[in-house]
Amino acid sequence: MLDLPILPTTVIGSYPRPKWLRESIRLSKIGKMSNDELIESFNDAALAVLHDHYLANVDVPTDGEVRRDEMTEFFAEKLGGFKFYGPVRVWGTAYYRKPAVVSKVEYKEPMLVDEFNYAKSISYTSNLKITITGPYTIAYWSYNEYYKDMKDLTFDLAKIINREMRNLVEAGAKIIQIDEPAIHSTKKDIEWAVDAVNESLKGINAKLVLHICYGDYRIVAPYLNEFNVDQINFALKIYDYKYLDLFKKYGYEKELGLGVIDVHNRRVETAEEIAKDIKYSMKYFPAEKLWINPDCGLKLLPRKIAFEKLQNMVKGTNLVREELKRTS
């Protein structure tokens, strides 16, 4: 059992990299910083992120995913069967190195265990969350040059993700979040995509959280109870919580991770605004079923703004907790 207050606060995963870490990565790429020095920089950054989460009083922190450039690329680099051709534009001036699957995908060695063990050693709480990109999103955000279809690729990736999660549980992970932001991208895939996610979760003895963000939630809403997870968290602030009615309509029964911070807007939400949003959401779901989190990762925000948003997220949550105490 996790020892957590009502309306636990958490983050989705990523957090702004400190400026000095970005400089260390640049120096490493041009051969002016050793690998040992780069690892030290990553470790120091993880410590800095967890300290920010501690100061903000977040109940369930992460290490900010400081070692990861991008959520698909990071895993593709560590698996067999992938190849990179070059960067692909996502939007505006944002690019990522889109991987291509050129042979059968293979698990070579643990991908996150060292990262988790270090974060665990410096965390202020045992309720540390580790995040991993799910099989559908890795497949959807990669070129398929080998498999008959994306379904076969996704199920092979599911077996790999399952193996990695087993290693994380063995290392002591109690809360694992599987990130599937692409899962509601294509209506024709959704039924087997749910099965693929569940394949990746088989036999995993941990609190399991699924992250879904930006897109048409109507595609995935009828299937939410079919995911074998304890909680699903969503980007909801950006949609003004309109999808709460949809989730209620389909009888969603699990815990709901309530996105109350718009990570694409530099305006810092006030504590009072967040408290109001939480209380509105409690018209649809009881407080006992709600966790409080940003819409998505905070990585693209300036660090000062990300920290202020987290501080107010916790302050707003505390306002509601106090109100619940008075009325209980």
Side-chain angles (χ1 to χ4, degrees):
M1 293 293 291
L2 304 174
D3 183 19
L4 289 167
I6 196 164
L7 300 171
T9 57
T10 187
V11 288
I12 295 303
S14 71
Y15 195 74
R17 280 172 165 170
K19 185 176 180 180
W20 47 263
L21 175 59
R22 298 198 300 271
E23 178 64 8
S24 293
I25 294 169
R26 187 188 71 81
L27 291 172
S28 173
K29 286 179 178 178
I30 61 175
K32 293 188 176 181
M33 176 174 279
S34 71
N35 189 58
D36 285 346
E37 289 171 325
L38 181 61
I39 290 172
E40 182 179 339
S41 293
F42 281 132
N43 288 345
D44 289 346
L47 183 59
V49 170
L50 275 162
H51 187 60
D52 274 10
H53 291 177
Y54 167 74
L55 291 176
N57 206 21
V58 173
D59 297 312
V60 179
T62 70
D63 70 351
E65 300 176 359
V66 293
R67 301 168 207 273
R68 312 184 199 180
D69 283 331
E70 198 277 332
M71 63 186 302
T72 295
E73 176 185 323
F74 175 84
F75 294 99
E77 284 181 330
K78 296 177 181 296
L79 296 172
F82 284 91
K83 178 179 180 179
F84 291 90
Y85 294 116
V88 173
R89 188 164 77 111
V90 184
W91 71 86
T93 58
Y95 289 79
Y96 85 106
R97 293 168 60 231
K98 184 170 181 175
V101 179
V102 295
S103 62
K104 184 177 174 62
V105 292
E106 295 180 8
Y107 185 82
K108 297 195 291 188
E109 59 184 0
M111 299 176 282
L112 297 174
V113 171
D114 288 347
E115 177 180 317
F116 172 75
N117 281 334
Y118 182 75
K120 184 174 68 170
S121 75
I122 60 172
S123 178
Y124 58 89
T125 173
S126 62
N127 293 322
L128 180 72
K129 180 162 71 175
I130 185 76
T131 63
I132 185 168
T133 305
Y136 184 85
T137 293
I138 294 177
Y140 190 82
W141 288 352
S142 301
Y143 296 115
N144 177 17
E145 300 180 3
Y146 175 78
Y147 284 83
K148 178 184 70 176
D149 53 36
M150 198 176 87
K151 181 178 179 180
D152 286 354
L153 167 59
T154 303
F155 274 88
D156 266 8
L157 285 167
K159 295 179 178 68
I160 285 171
I161 298 302
N162 181 263
R163 187 170 172 186
E164 179 68 5
M165 285 199 277
R166 287 176 184 271
N167 285 329
L168 286 168
V169 170
E170 190 174 331
K174 298 195 297 182
I175 307 171
I176 302 176
Q177 177 181 293
I178 186 164
D179 295 330
E180 282 287 8
I183 201 159
H184 53 332
S185 298
T186 308
K187 192 173 183 178
K188 66 179 178 61
D189 293 347
I190 189 64
E191 289 190 29
W192 64 257
V194 172
D195 292 338
V197 171
N198 287 339
E199 180 73 22
S200 74
L201 303 172
K202 278 185 179 177
I204 304 300
N205 184 23
K207 185 177 185 70
L208 296 172
V209 179
L210 177 66
H211 172 58
I212 299 175
C213 59
Y214 315 111
D216 187 353
Y217 296 161
R218 291 174 299 178
I219 291 173
V220 73
Y223 303 90
L224 294 179
N225 286 321
E226 295 181 23
F227 288 104
N228 295 331
V229 295
D230 302 293
Q231 176 188 138
I232 305 178
N233 60 45
F234 294 90
L236 289 167
K237 175 69 173 179
I238 198 170
Y239 299 119
D240 198 26
Y241 307 100
K242 69 177 183 179
Y243 285 109
L244 290 174
D245 189 58
L246 180 72
F247 301 156
K248 197 71 174 176
K249 172 186 172 183
Y250 282 102
Y252 177 64
E253 299 171 342
K254 304 174 190 294
E255 289 176 353
L256 176 71
L258 186 73
V260 298
I261 297 293
D262 184 352
V263 304
H264 291 141
N265 191 328
R266 295 191 178 193
R267 182 184 71 85
V268 177
E269 296 85 350
T270 67
E272 292 74 19
E273 174 186 349
I274 290 165
K276 180 182 177 183
D277 290 350
I278 294 171
K279 286 189 286 184
Y280 172 78
S281 302
M282 285 164 53
K283 295 177 182 178
Y284 294 88
F285 295 91
E288 292 76 16
K289 286 280 186 84
L290 292 177
W291 282 39
I292 309 302
N293 46 256
D295 274 355
C296 199
L298 295 161
K299 181 178 181 179
L300 297 179
L301 288 169
R303 185 176 171 190
K304 179 177 182 292
I305 292 175
F307 179 66
E308 290 173 355
K309 281 176 175 273
L310 282 187
Q311 279 187 310
N312 282 1
M313 184 183 81
V314 174
K315 289 175 182 176
T317 302
N318 284 336
L319 290 174
V320 181
R321 288 171 177 166
E322 290 302 315
E323 193 170 318
L324 288 172
K325 284 180 186 177
R326 291 194 299 270
T327 57
S328 62

